[in-house]
Amino acid sequence: MSVQGSLDQQWARVRGRLKDEVGETAYRSWLKPLTVGSLDGGQLRILVPTRFMRDWIRTHYADRIRALFSGENPGVQTVEIVVASAARPDAAATPANDAPVAATVAPVAPKPEPVTELVIEPTPALSAVEDRTDEMSAPLDPRFTFENFVVGKPNELAFAAARRVADAQAVPFNPLFLYGGVGLGKTHLMHAIAWAIRKKDPSRRVIYLSAEKFMYQFIRALRFKDTMAFKEQFRSVDVLMIDDVQFISGKDSTQEEFFHTFNALVDQNRQVIISADKSPSDLEGMEERLRSRLGWGLVADIHPTTYELRLGILGQKADRIGAKVPPKVLEFLAHKITSNVRELEGALNRIVAHAELVGRAITLESAQDVLHDLLRASNRRVTIEEIQKKVAEHFNIRLADMSSARRARAVARPRQVAMYLAKQLTQRSLPEIGRKFGDRDHTTVMHAVRKVDELCGTDPAFAEDVELLRRMLEG
Ligand code: ADP
Ligand code: MG
């Protein structure tokens, strides 16, 4: 048997032991792609496909590999981890290496030394990374396709941009940044892009996940000291979509990681698609450089729905579920439920479910009846001004003191209550609320919310006051 042949056998045994020690997942991610190179003067070369892996294996597994290997073969004194492409030329010069380098390492073309750590290498041998991408990507909703998306004025730009990204051969703009309020179709469009790309070219690797999941994965990787694997997985995708990126704000290390991943992908001309509830420049708690970088590609906003769009969506949705809904009822819903598409769909579903249950046709009256609670809520839109007015009246202070600089308890406390209610009863963000209260900082609002919460817990009379105000405002 040739020297290489017996080395391969020894390596197979070492790998078996390693697999038992580290477990299936780590094994597949890190150890499976390794192959054994040459043994030369006591130095054994282990070949890896990328520099990421080299560094990772060096710090985490090299000692163990050496110990196990020298147990198999006392001739092994040291272990050197080398990237396959770099290993080839001088490895070929050593006599021990005339047997072919193990077949699992695909040829990697020699290339110039990479400049930074962030360069994504083409990694044909990294099947382990591929294995894990599915695990990474959140499942896609089969209903969220372009075909099922109703286009109208409020979303036509976002829709066109999404289509372009899905259809284009080359990356048309990077990133595509979609933003808009809740339930207006951001997630729908992202899934639609993913479906379209998968259909057109299944070999392209598309990862879709929420920013929360991204964060969770990252924190987990930190905990298991597995951040290299984490990086590698993201940096070898063709299309990366991160939904609801506002959740990353304030989480510094995740933001940092996100920023690097983002840069690496954009530099390598991979498509990145981001969604958020605000434009890049309005994302609070987001580092300035990240905010500005997010706005470099195409920023497309989805505006609140119009009556026409709502009617269109209802019609399509009713058709799709095969429900007979009189046009009058659809019009009624499109008029009354204006908040977002999710609620609109929810209302339609309720009406249809109710009609099926009681075995009667849908009428305007039955619809009104079924939805009375929903309709009441959407009839009432409290404004910050109303809140300020009511709270000022209740505590008997001047309305002007809601925005004044006075800090006496007698005015500061009511002001905090008003901020608290503004947060609870309106959709306004903390900075927006702050602005309405004499240009105060969002941290002041945050503090007010906390303070009022705290007082409600300790002072029943105060809690009652707040509750009373809330009920009055909600009408
Ligand atoms: P977001 O991610 O912006 O909060 P989603 O994409 O989850 O909103 O949309 C909420 C619901 O509304 C989904 O069921 C989605 O299919 C539907 N929807 C939103 N916009 C449209 C549209 N233009 N046409 C059809 N369905 C829509
Ligand atoms: Mg969403």
Side-chain angles (χ1 to χ4, degrees):
M1 179 172 287
S2 71
V3 175
Q4 183 68 41
S6 55
L7 273 183
D8 282 345
Q9 283 186 348
Q10 290 157 8
W11 176 228
R13 285 193 290 274
V14 170
R15 294 214 304 182
R17 299 273 297 275
L18 282 168
K19 188 172 171 178
D20 291 342
E21 288 181 12
V22 304
E24 182 68 29
T25 309
Y27 174 78
R28 268 200 306 163
S29 312
W30 296 115
L31 299 165
K32 198 164 160 233
L34 306 189
T35 54
V36 67
S38 58
L39 175 61
D40 192 10
Q43 188 190 61
L44 178 73
R45 287 170 163 239
I46 296 287
L47 312 180
V48 297
T50 67
R51 281 175 310 109
F52 271 135
M53 293 195 72
R54 179 195 62 197
D55 298 342
W56 183 256
I57 301 291
R58 268 189 192 155
T59 42
H60 291 83
Y61 299 109
D63 283 345
R64 197 61 199 134
I65 292 175
R66 191 196 55 74
L68 288 172
F69 221 113
S70 55
E72 291 287 335
N73 180 346
V76 173
Q77 282 146 22
T78 58
V79 164
E80 177 61 3
I81 311 292
V82 285
V83 178
S85 58
R88 195 83 24 91
D90 51 80
T94 60
N97 204 54
D98 36 53
V101 181
T104 48
V105 177
V108 177
K111 53 177 170 308
E113 246 323 276
V115 196
T116 72
E117 209 211 22
L118 299 179
V119 174
I120 295 166
E121 311 190 22
T123 51
L126 264 185
S127 56
V129 169
E130 248 162 42
D131 289 351
R132 288 177 63 160
T133 46
D134 283 340
E135 215 174 280
M136 271 284 148
S137 189
L140 300 175
D141 191 317
R143 294 165 309 163
F144 290 3
T145 60
F146 283 130
E147 291 71 37
N148 287 342
F149 192 83
V150 180
V151 187
K153 263 258 166 300
N155 58 25
E156 62 184 1
L157 174 65
F159 176 80
R163 269 249 78 115
R164 175 71 60 82
V165 164
D167 296 340
Q169 293 305 322
V171 172
F173 22 71
N174 220 353
L176 168 59
F177 191 102
L178 298 171
Y179 78 93
V182 285
L184 296 183
K186 301 181 294 293
T187 300
H188 188 134
L189 280 178
M190 289 176 115
H191 285 208
I193 295 171
W195 284 123
I197 292 176
R198 283 193 184 170
K199 198 157 128 201
K200 203 168 65 146
D201 182 0
S203 71
R204 288 181 80 193
R205 278 145 93 199
V206 181
I207 288 194
Y208 163 88
L209 77 173
S210 66
E212 266 177 314
K213 180 124 188 261
F214 180 89
M215 219 163 73
Y216 167 78
Q217 301 275 12
F218 177 63
I219 291 165
R220 204 175 64 151
L222 277 181
R223 174 139 25 96
F224 292 110
K225 305 205 176 7
D226 205 12
T227 49
M228 279 297 209
F230 176 83
K231 289 186 178 82
E232 195 132 339
Q233 284 167 74
F234 283 109
R235 290 170 191 185
S236 56
V237 302
D238 293 305
V239 181
L240 176 66
M241 307 194 205
I242 305 227
D243 205 353
D244 288 322
V245 87
Q246 70 273 10
F247 285 120
I248 293 186
S249 59
K251 313 283 191 302
D252 286 349
S253 58
T254 326
Q255 235 182 76
E256 183 79 21
E257 190 44 49
F258 174 69
F259 186 64
H260 287 303
T261 306
F262 176 83
N263 278 334
L265 288 170
V266 171
D267 288 349
Q268 298 291 309
N269 217 19
R270 313 293 172 87
Q271 181 72 55
V272 179
I273 304 162
I274 307 282
S275 87
D277 64 351
K278 297 185 197 64
S279 75
S281 53
D282 287 336
L283 282 173
E284 302 141 23
M286 192 63 93
E287 238 188 282
E288 180 50 37
R289 59 174 185 163
L290 184 50
R291 267 199 306 215
S292 84
R293 186 80 206 249
L294 287 174
W296 280 10
L298 182 77
V299 177
D301 55 344
I302 306 185
H303 297 278
T305 55
T306 56
Y307 174 74
E308 287 72 29
L309 181 59
R310 291 194 294 275
L311 199 57
I313 292 170
L314 285 168
Q316 187 239 40
K317 171 94 181 162
D319 277 354
R320 213 169 69 222
I321 58 180
K324 280 207 192 56
V325 189
K328 274 257 161 303
V329 172
L330 296 183
E331 285 162 21
F332 167 74
L333 288 179
H335 262 303
K336 288 292 184 182
I337 303 193
T338 55
S339 48
N340 66 50
V341 182
R342 193 172 296 135
E343 290 202 357
L344 201 60
E345 287 187 337
L348 182 64
N349 286 338
R350 255 163 80 173
I351 294 173
V352 172
H354 179 265
E356 271 173 19
L357 214 61
V358 300
R360 275 200 297 271
I362 297 168
T363 64
L364 194 54
E365 290 69 39
S366 73
Q368 281 171 326
D369 203 31
V370 173
L371 300 177
H372 69 277
D373 53 335
L374 235 173
L375 294 172
R376 207 190 42 186
S378 69
N379 274 343
R380 287 285 316 157
R381 274 268 152 78
V382 190
T383 64
I384 293 182
E385 286 75 13
E386 275 178 85
I387 294 172
Q388 292 177 326
K389 194 159 160 282
K390 269 271 182 298
V391 175
E393 275 169 18
H394 180 82
F395 288 101
N396 207 12
I397 64 170
R398 293 179 312 140
L399 181 58
D401 275 332
M402 284 290 161
S403 352
S404 77
R406 289 183 57 203
R407 296 169 66 171
R409 167 78 59 87
V411 290
R413 191 67 86 221
R415 195 187 292 131
Q416 286 179 325
V417 170
M419 288 180 185
Y420 172 87
L421 289 168
K423 182 72 198 121
Q424 302 272 313
L425 302 179
T426 73
Q427 298 287 319
R428 303 274 161 246
S429 68
L430 296 175
E432 280 172 308
I433 295 173
R435 249 171 268 140
K436 298 260 188 184
F437 285 83
D439 248 340
R440 286 182 158 81
D441 195 70
H442 75 276
T443 53
T444 309
V445 183
M446 219 146 68
H447 173 73
V449 172
R450 254 189 248 125
K451 186 77 204 170
V452 172
D453 255 337
E454 192 187 302
L455 285 172
C456 283
T458 53
D459 180 348
F462 180 80
E464 211 167 277
D465 259 6
V466 174
E467 191 47 40
L468 188 73
L469 278 164
R470 182 215 300 281
R471 260 186 271 138
M472 271 188 334
L473 286 160
E474 275 178 337

